[in-house]
Amino acid sequence: MLNALILFTACSSASDVDGPTLQWWDDSASPTDTAKPVEDTGEPTPEPPVEPAPTTDFRSPGNQAGSTTTGTFTASGNCRLDWTWYQPTDTEVTGTVILSHGFMRNQNRMTGWGEHLSSWGIGVVTATLCHSSIFDIDSEQNARDMIALADHLDIGTRLFMGHSNGGAVSIIAAALDTQAVAVLGLDPVDARGEPAAEFVGQLSVPAYALMGESSSCNSSASGTSLFLTGSENRVLKVTESDHCDFESPSDWVCTTACNGSNRTFDDESLQATIRGLSTAFAAWMLGQDATGERWWHDGGDAFDELSSAGAISTL
């Protein structure tokens, strides 16, 4: 008879990335064996070790139902700000993402983000920025408008998140807003003349970013410096991702000018990696799921899996 039988139960999904579970027991004792008395040493019985919770896989949609509310808010300068509020209906919301689109884009390019994040129990507010055209670009005012909109909607805890120039807008908003808990840039751009760098020194919250491959569409990854000089920062590059991979959905206007090459990773897997990392960051920073941290730091099982596959690298 074997002294011990060892059973390995391998992980079968990306959500269970803590590694195989090891169970063992001794089958050498027969049912007729007499148990030996346990000697009372007077010492307290040690508590069994607590197994860590499995890391959540944020790449696929969550299981929360949601609803959307739309409206128009009159911001400074009589700007009419069209907004959409994505709200999960099956869980208590611990915080809301204030999400800004890129230069010359609109909130329709953020629809997929709103739906995905809210499916994980995270509220999301998007808006079509008033000052984001070739004739009128004002990142600071856009940031102030988004703060005013969040105040108008009576949103408390906020995480600012933005794509392209929206990343610069989000940096400014997070620096100005005392209710901000963090900021995340999605292939952020810090174009020449942008005031965002002036606000970085005022940041008192974590500033993280996901970068695509350097190209003319992200001004040669110009936004990287914004997110490497904050009080707390972390910047990861998503291998082979282009500027359009950070929109959801993108369109032909972006893909015609900014589509990158996919030698190793296809668009679907790239966008899944971006969704997973972004949602993990929001869930972690908003106090909803502490396992989100494991997607962003060395030693975290999700981070190590992506890193070893060459899907991400640290800048």
Side-chain angles (χ1 to χ4, degrees), residues 4-23:
L5 174 63
I6 299 177
L7 172 64
F8 288 89
T9 304
C11 297
S12 59
S13 67
S15 64
D16 185 9
V17 292
D18 281 330
T21 300
L22 177 63
Q23 294 178 308

Side-chain angles (χ1 to χ4, degrees), residues 47-51:
E47 294 291 332
V50 178
E51 292 295 329

Side-chain angles (χ1 to χ4, degrees), residues 16 25 71 99 114 194-195 216 232 254 277:
D16 185 9
W25 59 89
L99 180 58
E194 282 292 336
S216 60
E232 298 179 60
C254 184
L277 286 159

Side-chain angles (χ1 to χ4, degrees), residues 4 15 25 44 50 58-59 80 84 99 105 117 126 129 136 148 189 195 198 202 204 226 243 251 282 288 305:
S15 64
W25 59 89
V50 178
F58 294 103
R59 289 171 288 197
R80 292 176 60 83
T84 303
L99 180 58
R105 309 297 273 167
L117 288 164
T126 66
L129 302 174
D136 177 15
V189 171
E198 301 170 14
Q202 301 178 39
S204 58
L226 288 179
H243 204 51
D251 63 5
Q288 185 166 317
E305 176 189 309

Side-chain angles (χ1 to χ4, degrees), residues 9 12 40 70 76 79 81-83 121 127 140 144 168 211 221 232 244 269 280 284 303 311:
T9 304
S12 59
D40 184 1
T70 61
S76 176
C79 161
L81 203 67
D82 293 328
W83 55 266
E140 181 178 349
R144 295 184 183 277
M211 299 302 304
E232 298 179 60
C244 310
S269 64
W284 168 33
F303 177 90

